[in-house]
């Protein structure tokens, strides 16, 4: 375990298959403005959502080793800013890196139960997340509290990754239709969980499809609060609060997404992993 002064200076590592984890990074920066962050977009190997667990586990382990590795100050905490990678790999990451605090993200079913009136909740996520044991356990833990209508959204994270507006609109419409009738009357779905970190970036499209009264819920803020709780040491005032962006694939896509959605103009480093 690092001594206190070293740990204070260490960055927080954040990764996702691509640009989606920026929705978590935004919440992390708001909660922890003095911390340094290293964000890895594994875009050379995205999307994760339609791959098998072994692939996602291998990528998650490789990225974690890199973030702890000799090329920079090792991270003090890891945020797995990806529902799919959390479902597939977080248990093994915690086992493999037992001294590293690791925070994951899972579809926000509990916050959805807290706000629904009709007790019907739509859940959009990747095929991998919805098929996982972790998600099934989460669903069972809430049995009887609401009805969850879950729709796997093949191709949507990829369309968001490519910033393909026409495809995003077409897929959102298709998956909202497949999920059911939205609204605030009895029998209608009044709450929609965006269970993939890419989907908040299609939030406006979803909201216009389901109507203004339907709650859209994601887990950015709870994940940021949980990260604050597990941090071994908070950054000191003197820390610059820097964000370093890295991509294993298209650098321009990450830089563009960061500027477009977060309003941050930042360079992106290429990463070969
Ligand atoms: N953003 C990711 C998630 O939260 C993964 C999307 C993908 O790569 O398929 O699940």
């Amino acid at each position: 375990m690092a001594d206190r002064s070293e740990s204070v200076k260490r960055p927080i590592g954040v990764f996702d298959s691509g640009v989606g984890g920026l929705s978590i990074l935004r919440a992390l920066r708001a909660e922890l403005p003095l911390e340094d962050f290293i964000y890895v977009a594994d875009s050379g190997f995205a999307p994760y959502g339609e791959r098998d667990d072994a692939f996602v586990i291998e990528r998650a382990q490789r990225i974690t080793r890199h973030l702890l590795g000799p090329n920079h100050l090792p991270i003090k905490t890891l945020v797995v800013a990806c529902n799919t990678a959390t479902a597939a790999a977080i248990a093994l990451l915690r086992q493999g890196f037992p001294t590293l605090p690791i925070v994951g993200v899972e579809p926000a079913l509990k916050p959805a139960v807290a706000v629904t009136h009709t007790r019907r909740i739509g859940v959009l996520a990747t095929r991998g997340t919805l098929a996982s044991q972790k998600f099934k356990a989460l669903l069972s833990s809430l049995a009887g509290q609401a009805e969850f209508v879950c729709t796997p959204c093949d191709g949507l994270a990829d369309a968001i990754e490519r910033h393909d507006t026409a495809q995003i609109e077409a897929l959102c419409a298709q998956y909202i239709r497949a999920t059911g009738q939205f609204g605030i009357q009895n029998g209608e779905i009044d709450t929609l969980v965006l269970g993939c970190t890419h989907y908040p970036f299609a939030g406006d499209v979803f909201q216009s499809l389901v109507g203004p009264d339907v709650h859209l819920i994601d887990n950015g803020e709870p994940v940021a609060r949980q990260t604050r709780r597990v941090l071994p040491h908070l950054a000191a005032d003197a820390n610059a609060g820097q964000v370093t962006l890295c991509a294993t694939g298209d650098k321009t896509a990450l830089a563009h997404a960061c500027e477009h959605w977060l309003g941050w103009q930042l360079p992106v480093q290429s990463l070969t992993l």
Side-chain angles (χ1 to χ4, degrees):
M1 178 57 84
D3 71 29
R4 187 178 191 289
S5 60
E6 190 202 326
S7 173
V8 164
K9 288 191 222 115
R10 291 177 170 202
I12 297 170
V14 182
F15 82 88
D16 177 45
S17 62
V19 301
L22 292 176
S23 65
I24 302 288
L25 183 63
R26 173 171 54 194
L28 285 165
R29 282 272 287 163
E31 177 74 23
L32 297 161
L34 299 178
E35 299 293 336
D36 286 347
F37 292 93
I38 301 187
Y39 182 91
V40 175
D42 197 17
S43 41
F45 298 83
Y48 285 173
E50 292 134 56
R51 311 263 199 177
D52 61 28
D53 281 2
F55 179 91
V56 177
I57 290 166
E58 203 276 325
R59 293 308 301 164
Q61 290 170 330
R62 197 178 277 261
I63 292 165
T64 308
R65 275 196 298 274
H66 167 76
L67 288 169
L68 288 168
N71 301 331
H72 46 73
L73 214 53
I75 56 169
K76 60 181 174 186
T77 294
L78 176 69
V79 179
V80 182
C82 173
N83 293 264
T84 312
T86 298
I90 200 161
L92 286 170
L93 289 178
R94 289 190 172 129
Q95 209 175 305
F97 304 94
T99 58
L100 179 68
I102 302 179
V103 178
V105 49
E106 64 182 10
L109 302 196
K110 289 176 205 161
V113 167
V115 299
T116 180
H117 289 292
T118 64
R119 324 254 20 115
R120 297 201 76 221
I121 295 170
V123 183
L124 304 182
T126 67
R127 190 164 287 282
T129 297
L130 296 181
S132 68
Q133 287 310 319
K134 202 167 188 315
F135 182 72
K136 287 181 184 147
L138 178 63
L139 266 186
S140 321
S141 74
L142 297 166
Q145 298 194 36
E147 182 194 345
F148 296 95
V149 186
C150 303
T151 305
C153 300
D154 290 355
L156 181 54
D158 185 49
I160 292 170
E161 198 65 33
R162 291 182 289 101
H163 209 73
D164 181 342
T165 312
Q167 181 76 345
I168 293 168
E169 286 174 2
L171 289 174
C172 288
Q174 177 186 331
Y175 295 132
I176 288 298
R177 262 198 315 276
T179 305
Q181 182 66 37
F182 284 82
I184 54 172
Q185 305 302 321
N186 273 348
E188 293 181 330
I189 298 169
D190 70 350
T191 306
L192 180 63
V193 174
L194 304 180
C196 165
T197 55
H198 281 70
Y199 302 169
F201 295 128
D204 290 349
V205 180
F206 282 125
Q207 196 77 68
S208 70
L209 288 162
V210 296
D213 297 329
V214 171
H215 303 284
L216 257 52
I217 304 215
D218 68 73
N219 248 349
E221 288 174 15
V223 167
R225 286 196 296 272
Q226 175 62 7
T227 306
R228 172 188 279 278
R229 281 193 284 271
V230 306
L231 273 184
H233 302 291
L234 287 173
D237 288 9
N239 201 311
Q242 276 179 5
V243 176
T244 304
L245 298 179
C246 313
T248 60
D250 184 2
K251 289 199 302 179
T252 332
L254 182 59
H256 180 258
C258 195
E259 182 171 359
H260 183 76
W261 286 316
L262 275 50
W264 307 343
Q265 278 186 327
L266 293 172
V268 177
Q269 299 172 14
S270 271
L271 194 60
T272 304
L273 281 179

